[in-house]
Amino acid sequence: MSRLFVCCLLFIGFSSILHAQSSQLSGRVLLQGVPVPNAMVHVDSTFYTTTDQHGVFTFQAIPYGQYVLYVRHTGLQLFSKRLQLCKAIHYEQDITLAWQLTTLHGIAVHESVSTKKVQESAMNLTIVQSDFIRKNLGGSLMQSLDKLPGVKSIGIGAGNSKPLIRGLGFNQVMVVENGVKHEGQQWGADHGLEIDQFAAGQVEIIKGPASFMYGPDAIGGAIDIKPISLPLAHTMGGTIDLAGKSNNGQWAASGYFYVRTNRWFLTGRFSLSEYGDFRVPADTVHVYSYAVPLYKQHVRNTAGKERNIHLSTGWLGKKLASIFYISRVYNKSGFFANAHGLEPRRVNHNLHDRSSRDIQMPAQEVTHHKIINKTTFNLQQHHIEWQNGFQHNFREEFNHYVNHGYMPPVYPTNRATPATLERSYKKSVFTTALKDEWKVGQHQFTIGANAEWQHNQIDGWSFLIPAFTQWQGGLYVYDKWRVNNQVILHGALRYDLGRIKIEEYADWFPSAIIENGDTSQQYLVRSTAISRRFASLNWSVGISYEPGRVFMKANLGSSFRMPIAKELGANGVNYHYFRYEKGDATLSPERSYQADISLGWKDEKMHITVSPFFNYFPNYIYLNPTSAHDYRYGAGNQVFYYAQSEVVRYGAEMQAQYSFSQQFEATLAAEYLYNEQLSGAKKGYTIPFTPPPSALLSLQYNIPFKQGMKDTYVGVEYRAVAAQNRVVPPERKTPSYQLFGFNAGTAIRCQEQTINIHLQIKNLFNTRYLDHTSFYRLIELPEMGRNIVLSLQVPFTWRKRSEEAKGS
Amino acid sequence: MKMTRKNLSYCVLVFATGMLFACNKDKVETDTTYPTIDLGIAGASPVQCAVVERGKPFVFKAKFSDNKALGSYSLDIHHNFDHHTHSTEVKACEEDAVKVPVTPMLYIKDYAIPAGRREFVATTEIDIPAHVDAGDYHFMIRLTDQEGWQTMRGISIKIK
């Protein structure tokens, strides 16, 4: 392995600034014989330009070499082509674009630019487009993505979930939206992501440490959500998305409009959704041994609603482009009323069962605001990108006051915090990131820097996490070296600094503390003021090799993560789990080393990829349950403390697609993961939230209608999930299960528009099963029963473009 | 500097072997069994819907067992005058009307279990003060084993 190291490290430093000869590259872009102005044309990710009124583009000086030429435009299929520049003047024949009518088959992605990016990346990268999300629409973005092997979610209810990549989640997976890290998901398992899935244009999923590009928290992977691509010049139009789900009576509507002059554009999206209590195939569930009857199989009080607004506007010049994204994502949803966490609760069934659509207590309400600006400059060879963002996440959890432990039996009336506010978190985040990409010979360099500052405030009668302030900054350099037509080498180095300042927190009520036989009333300090600094140097080296039908990728890299406030400073009882959680102010930053390989084969009929990985954490941060109980700080609850242990993780994903004929194809996606703690109190045990092995087989028949309809398909799915018997306290073993699904869809051509319709039947046979990584797993709550999902996308366009083009 | 095909296959081989080695590790048998709280033994107390009297000592008795080694236990008596939470037991008890607590009894204490025991009969005397509010209470028993598996029982009792 050392040899690879040496090889690859050398490449990072090796940058010959040879005075290469250069070529003038030009061409013309057409759509149905009409020139396309303002199409984005780029050569690799280095040289950018747009087509003029006559659809013509010109690059003045591109050094000789091998490149990929891309042409992209909203509503049109992406075009890509390999180029060999070796003449002073290189003219590309007319490039003809086609309308984008692609529908994804099974789980494979067929888009050319994305495919190229996936192939050239050394890391395990998966890219899906918005039609994949619409075709597989689930209650939340992560649920819509869980057909991808290695990607799972920690779900709570029908509308909330957070990502789990190869068994790592929470702060170990970074979520990026419109180029800025999404903040606000690290609080606990019962919070989802504040992301509007209709607004996602493309989602990139990196399995494995991606710190060098994304920053410290991407230790387990990253989910990069990109906006819908920009509208064409001189166009105006939009889409309307409608979706309905039978299980929880959900309806969702999302309207999108865009308008663009030559340089200016404006887009807006309004998404609304409401859903009732979800249904499970059970009349009674047992919280411990207490039987909870479910009225009409409804999981009491899991209804919710979403209201989202997105605006984007900007100016797109040849050398400079600046875009603002402004969004507000709001959702309110109830928690299962009969168990708040693990606590069995009695509720007024008459009140709750009166309507399956009302949201009673306990409930959560969250509003997430974002303002992001992305400004790009193209200066000669350099492509510079500067992003600035502000986010505000405000989350409240409502619940009836329950006097746990030493809390007063009756909630005092003189407190400013309302008796129904169990917890609230207010988070403000500023981020800035600057990067520069340029090409020297066959090397494509990227250097970048980013910084983030965040301030967190807390409120409520229940304490879990102290208030804190944190900043983090990083610098990186990345070299992508196209050695020849088949081999691309990657090398990256990143340095990060961070600081966290935790505020002191003391109980608002006194506890009866017995010391030397005397009982005194004390306001216990739950969190002491802590200030910690962290620094880390990380690296990544990789190769992608594509000699023909066979392709191979390998990557080796390190990542790190700063301990979060609760890991350092927690000292209170989490009544969701009846545990006393103790932080450790001396924790070191978590580190991870990972080796990734992808091997594949592709031809006209078959496409197969196998991606094994091996991951080692010298100091994985883990909440360790002990045999002790604590009466003083823990109010009699079991003591859990944050500790660090050596962890080894390995596994593989497999994805295979086979076309039996033009019409009939089969796809198989499978995953396996093994986790083990090699040291510490839980040596030999796994780590929490380890998904069991699973496989998903999809068969699809594409119906070739001659007229009117395109991309018509019907399909069946079979998912087999093994039992998970490797558990760590307080988890429970989860039995195996099998699920069947059905799906169908078509694209109806109606004048110039194409209406996309997708139908899914999830859990076709209404199977009762438990999901090992679900929040409700510990109380044995079955997962959602049969669910019929219908989604419809209707575009509307006033295409002025072609007249403008003719007129000019 | 040119990466040859041979070099490349060498790198791949090293990667692959590394992975294989990692997969061949011996697996340690881990304990995944929860400890149990047995309130079915002779003299066990409190049983579901038990009534205890104020001003009199009350004896807690239960049998704990585990497949490997017990950890510790904790007892907690708190009021349920508002009926907001329920016990973990199947049987429901007759309850008084909902009322506002004035001086409800609150008892929280953790207890050690001698190391290495697979079975342990816990007997503890708890004073029920004469001045506390009468009414519906929960008696929580939390038991762990050495590995940190926890079993909980919440028993509904009445103090009169």
Side-chain angles (χ1 to χ4, degrees), chain A residues 378-588:
Chain A
N378 290 309
L379 297 172
Q380 292 162 345
Q381 313 276 304
H382 293 263
H383 178 68
I384 298 162
E385 205 177 279
W386 190 24
Q387 306 217 52
N388 287 291
F390 170 72
Q391 295 175 67
H392 188 260
N393 184 298
F394 181 49
R395 176 187 300 279
E396 289 174 296
E397 290 178 40
F398 300 104
N399 196 7
H400 295 288
Y401 175 68
V402 180
N403 68 314
H404 290 297
Y406 296 103
M407 292 179 199
V410 178
Y411 190 75
T413 49
N414 58 354
R415 273 179 55 78
T417 304
T420 51
L421 185 66
E422 188 174 14
R423 274 185 281 272
S424 91
Y425 304 112
K426 211 182 274 181
K427 184 191 262 290
S428 306
V429 188
F430 291 92
T431 41
T432 184
L434 187 66
K435 79 171 179 189
D436 179 11
E437 286 178 355
W438 77 100
K439 199 157 178 173
V440 179
Q442 294 304 319
H443 291 265
Q444 184 185 310
F445 292 100
T446 309
I447 57 165
N450 76 295
E452 183 195 275
W453 179 88
Q454 56 169 287
H455 181 60
N456 295 265
Q457 293 160 279
I458 57 165
D459 197 4
W461 49 261
S462 166
F463 170 79
L464 259 187
I465 303 156
F468 65 96
T469 305
Q470 177 178 311
W471 75 259
Q472 176 271 322
L475 270 173
Y476 65 92
V477 55
Y478 167 42
D479 178 13
K480 178 175 167 186
W481 180 18
R482 191 180 298 273
V483 179
N484 57 42
N485 241 346
Q486 298 171 347
V487 179
I488 299 171
L489 294 170
H490 304 257
L493 207 57
R494 183 184 173 102
Y495 183 71
D496 281 284
L497 271 174
R499 184 178 178 175
I500 183 166
K501 262 176 97 167
I502 296 172
E503 292 171 27
E504 187 182 282
Y505 178 88
D507 279 343
W508 54 272
F509 56 88
S511 298
I513 301 303
I514 308 161
E515 273 166 326
N516 309 322
D518 296 329
T519 305
S520 63
Q521 298 289 319
Q522 293 179 16
Y523 291 87
L524 296 176
V525 172
R526 290 290 174 188
S527 163
T528 50
I530 302 165
S531 179
R532 288 282 312 271
R533 271 170 195 279
F534 302 97
S536 185
L537 184 70
N538 292 287
W539 49 269
S540 176
V541 288
I543 178 168
S544 81
Y545 174 55
E546 206 185 341
R549 295 194 183 285
V550 178
F551 57 93
M552 190 279 280
K553 302 200 275 183
N555 196 71
L556 188 69
S558 77
S559 263
F560 98 112
R561 176 177 77 87
M562 266 163 56
I564 57 174
K566 69 173 174 185
E567 293 165 342
L568 294 167
N571 193 23
V573 182
N574 183 345
Y575 283 101
H576 279 185
Y577 295 99
F578 285 105
R579 64 194 188 198
Y580 163 44
E581 299 177 359
K582 245 170 112 170
D584 180 351
T586 65
L587 293 176
S588 58

Side-chain angles (χ1 to χ4, degrees), chain A residues 224-243:
Chain A
D224 191 348
I225 302 158
K226 311 242 158 144
I228 290 169
S229 39
L230 299 172
L232 286 160
H234 307 295
T235 58
M236 192 156 81
T239 53
I240 291 175
D241 275 286
L242 298 169

Side-chain angles (χ1 to χ4, degrees), chain A residues 1 3-4 11 288-290 344-346 543 552 614 627 629 631 636-638 682 684-685 730-731 733, chain B residues 1 7-8 11-12 14-15 22 31-32 34 72 74 84 86 88 95 110 142 144-145 147-150 152:
Chain A
M1 196 153 321
R3 197 157 162 188
L4 179 76
F11 301 144
Y288 298 95
S289 43
Y290 187 90
R345 299 183 64 87
R346 176 156 42 201
I543 178 168
M552 190 279 280
F614 177 80
S627 63
H629 289 89
Y631 95 93
N637 287 286
Q638 186 183 2
K682 292 293 178 287
Y685 281 89
E731 290 189 325
K733 291 179 183 175
Chain B
M1 194 161 152
N7 253 345
L8 210 70
C11 291
V12 178
V14 172
F15 255 91
D31 174 21
T32 54
Y34 281 81
S72 70
S74 147
H84 263 137
H86 57 63
T88 61
E95 286 166 326
D110 56 303
R142 296 176 171 94
T144 55
D145 71 2
E147 295 289 4
W149 295 102
Q150 186 188 47
M152 261 200 295

Side-chain angles (χ1 to χ4, degrees), chain A residues 247 277-280 294-300 336 356:
Chain A
N247 183 288
D277 298 345
F278 72 93
R279 281 177 293 164
V280 295
L294 298 182
Y295 177 70
K296 290 184 177 173
Q297 306 193 329
H298 280 119
V299 179
R300 208 162 273 121
F336 179 35
S356 64

Side-chain angles (χ1 to χ4, degrees), chain A residues 246-248 276-285 292-302 336 338 353 356 763 765-768 781-786:
Chain A
S246 68
N247 183 288
N248 57 351
D277 298 345
F278 72 93
R279 281 177 293 164
V280 295
D283 294 310
T284 307
V285 292
V292 176
L294 298 182
Y295 177 70
K296 290 184 177 173
Q297 306 193 329
H298 280 119
V299 179
R300 208 162 273 121
N301 198 44
T302 52
F336 179 35
N338 291 94
D353 299 342
S356 64
N763 195 357
F765 300 117
N766 208 22
T767 308
R768 183 177 174 153
L781 188 67
E783 291 299 305
M784 201 184 258
R786 185 182 301 116

